[in-house]
Amino acid sequence: MISEAHNPRNMMRTAIVFVIFGSAAAFAAGQHARNVILFIGDAGGIPTLNAASLYAYDAPQKLFIQSLPNLALVDTSSANSWVTDSAAGMSAIVTGQKTNNGVISQSADAVRGEKDGEWLKTILEYAEDHGLSTGVLSNMNITDATPAACYAHSNDRKSSAEIFAQITRPRFGDGVDLVIGAGRDEILTATLKTSLEMEKALAEKGYAFAPSMEAVPANANRAVVLYESGEFEAWPVVNRAIDILSRNDNGFFLMVEWDMHTTQLERGLKRAVEMDSVIRETAAKMNSDTLLLFVADHSFDLRLRGGRQHHSLLPDPAAPSAKPVIRVENGHTGEEVLAAAMGPGAERVRGFIPNTELFHVMMSAFGWTAGGARTAPAATASMR
Ligand SMILES: [Zn+2]
């Protein structure tokens, strides 16, 4: 006798209901992120965030980042070192695979400066493939490791001209739409030594080429903006970039990197506070269909060793021999960094996770699977 539950017809009905419900849930409006904005605090580890809050607000945990609802602690080790550089760190976040220090979005069999590895498809390339608009924005050199890992592939992060040239040779869609950052003189000098006629190549690909965001024509949907330095005001530039990318009904992916290295302590802390304000403004601007994800690519050797309220964290020029409240060694460190998120898909940002997991957080937020094969993200999500 066949029990009710095992009756083939009932099982079939269950299966049909599951399929209909499953796909309806998967495509229901609001279920997935329409846009993803990835904020990278370069070298913005937990000690730096803590110090930035104390510096700006004279109290702990006052940053907007520190109010985000979903948090994880992220391992940043690279394939060949416990302590990553920005190249391997960012490659892991945007491709889901760890690679060697110095390598830009290639697999770990790449040898820096010598041998290519497999070119790994980045979240930005997936977005292009799906017809979204894409952008990278940084107050560092736009061919530097972090932005480069989104749109280029190289066995050596120092190959600035080659990295820049890849903007005009996209593998998916029409390639990254907005490239905004510093390093104008360096990039122009490096490019002059190659055969690439940059301005012509960019014009052919439909880019406005400008020295500042203000100089980009109002109707431009694609632009390469090279500032001379990273000392531009963040929010107006981020705001305009979002407005341009938002013209695409399919949505967009934007990566915003802000330098938080505290080699110069006050400058680093100011920039951490600045990026925090940008994330706050972005959260106020965007609808609930946008995943906002903040993470550092690696931590930095900054330690809070004392101090109290109403007293400066910075060294006192009048007392140069006094023990500093904050001790900074100029180097990356290998402890976990904070990832913090809000919006669709943010619930997967929890626990101790490797940096590669953030790629899958973004992919599943969009409702995509890597290469059509990986099903683990959905399974992981339901387990949680
Ligand atoms: Zn870095």
Side-chain angles (χ1 to χ4, degrees):
M1 177 189 157
I2 300 170
S3 77
E4 188 67 5
H6 290 92
N7 179 312
R9 191 182 285 173
N10 280 354
M11 284 174 73
M12 179 68 84
R13 194 186 302 148
T14 308
I16 289 168
V17 167
F18 178 79
V19 167
I20 292 169
F21 255 92
S23 58
F27 294 107
Q31 189 85 12
H32 287 140
R34 174 187 167 110
N35 317 304
V36 171
I37 306 179
L38 170 63
F39 294 95
I40 302 289
D42 199 322
I46 289 172
T48 298
L49 298 178
N50 174 42
S53 178
L54 301 178
Y55 169 76
Y57 303 105
D58 203 21
Q61 301 187 341
K62 296 296 182 201
L63 298 182
F64 180 74
I65 291 167
Q66 292 166 321
S67 75
L68 289 172
N70 296 89
L71 312 177
L73 290 172
V74 179
D75 162 57
T76 64
S77 64
S78 67
N80 67 344
S81 174
W82 297 135
V83 180
T84 192
D85 77 327
S86 296
M90 188 59 171
S91 295
I93 293 167
V94 297
T95 72
Q97 292 190 45
K98 292 198 187 255
T99 190
N100 301 319
N101 286 1
V103 174
I104 303 284
S105 290
Q106 292 189 359
S107 59
D109 50 350
V111 181
R112 183 177 184 171
E114 289 177 23
K115 177 177 159 280
D116 274 350
E118 183 196 342
W119 285 30
L120 304 174
K121 191 171 177 181
T122 72
I123 184 74
L124 186 147
E125 290 177 321
Y126 275 99
E128 279 294 329
D129 214 5
H130 281 87
L132 278 66
S133 288
T134 60
V136 293
L137 196 164
S138 176
N139 69 342
M140 299 174 85
N141 185 317
I142 204 65
T143 62
D144 203 359
T146 304
C150 296
Y151 67 80
H153 307 267
S154 173
N155 64 35
D156 191 349
R157 60 181 288 175
K158 295 279 180 224
S159 308
S160 176
E162 168 54 22
I163 287 167
F164 192 76
Q166 286 185 29
I167 292 170
T168 62
R169 299 197 306 264
R171 300 197 303 158
F172 300 96
D174 58 359
V176 56
D177 298 295
L178 292 181
V179 180
I180 303 157
R184 182 178 186 82
D185 289 350
E186 255 176 274
I187 294 169
L188 292 181
T189 305
T191 305
L192 274 181
K193 293 175 190 157
T194 70
S195 57
L196 178 72
E197 289 182 69
M198 192 174 67
E199 296 207 27
K200 187 161 164 266
L202 291 176
E204 277 171 10
K205 294 289 179 182
Y207 290 106
F209 181 49
S212 72
M213 204 61 176
E214 297 81 64
V216 173
N219 61 351
N221 290 327
R222 284 158 68 78
V224 172
V225 177
L226 297 184
Y227 285 90
E228 269 175 30
S229 84
E231 298 301 321
F232 57 88
E233 202 188 332
W235 174 242
V237 178
V238 174
N239 192 22
R240 174 116 191 259
I242 291 172
D243 286 343
I244 293 173
L245 296 173
S246 297
R247 292 171 187 159
N248 186 337
D249 290 338
N250 293 333
F252 66 83
F253 168 80
L254 172 64
M255 190 287 299
V256 179
E257 175 198 34
W258 222 237
D259 181 21
M260 294 190 188
H261 285 83
T262 45
T263 322
Q264 293 174 49
L265 179 59
E266 185 165 23
R267 190 187 70 169
L269 296 182
K270 272 186 177 158
R271 286 178 162 182
V273 173
E274 190 176 22
M275 169 167 249
D276 185 65
S277 304
V278 164
I279 301 173
R280 188 193 309 266
E281 299 268 19
T282 304
K285 177 184 175 79
M286 302 310 294
N287 295 327
S288 58
D289 59 2
T290 301
L291 171 66
L292 302 184
L293 174 60
F294 166 83
V295 69
D297 53 349
H298 50 79
S299 193
F300 200 75
D301 197 357
L302 176 152
R303 289 292 175 266
L304 180 69
R305 310 258 298 171
R308 59 196 159 103
Q309 222 173 15
H310 311 311
H311 288 71
S312 174
L313 293 176
L314 304 173
D316 182 355
S321 62
K323 185 180 153 196
V325 172
I326 291 180
R327 188 202 70 199
V328 183
E329 297 265 340
N330 183 15
H332 296 183
T333 52
E335 78 276 7
E336 279 88 353
V337 296
L338 176 73
M342 63 183 285
E347 67 281 354
R348 285 190 54 175
V349 178
R350 57 179 293 184
F352 280 77
I353 58 174
N355 49 5
T356 50
E357 175 66 13
L358 296 172
F359 168 75
H360 300 291
V361 166
M362 294 186 281
M363 288 290 285
S364 71
F366 276 129
W368 305 334
T369 46
R374 191 188 154 99
T375 52
T380 314
S382 64
M383 268 159 53
R384 287 171 174 173

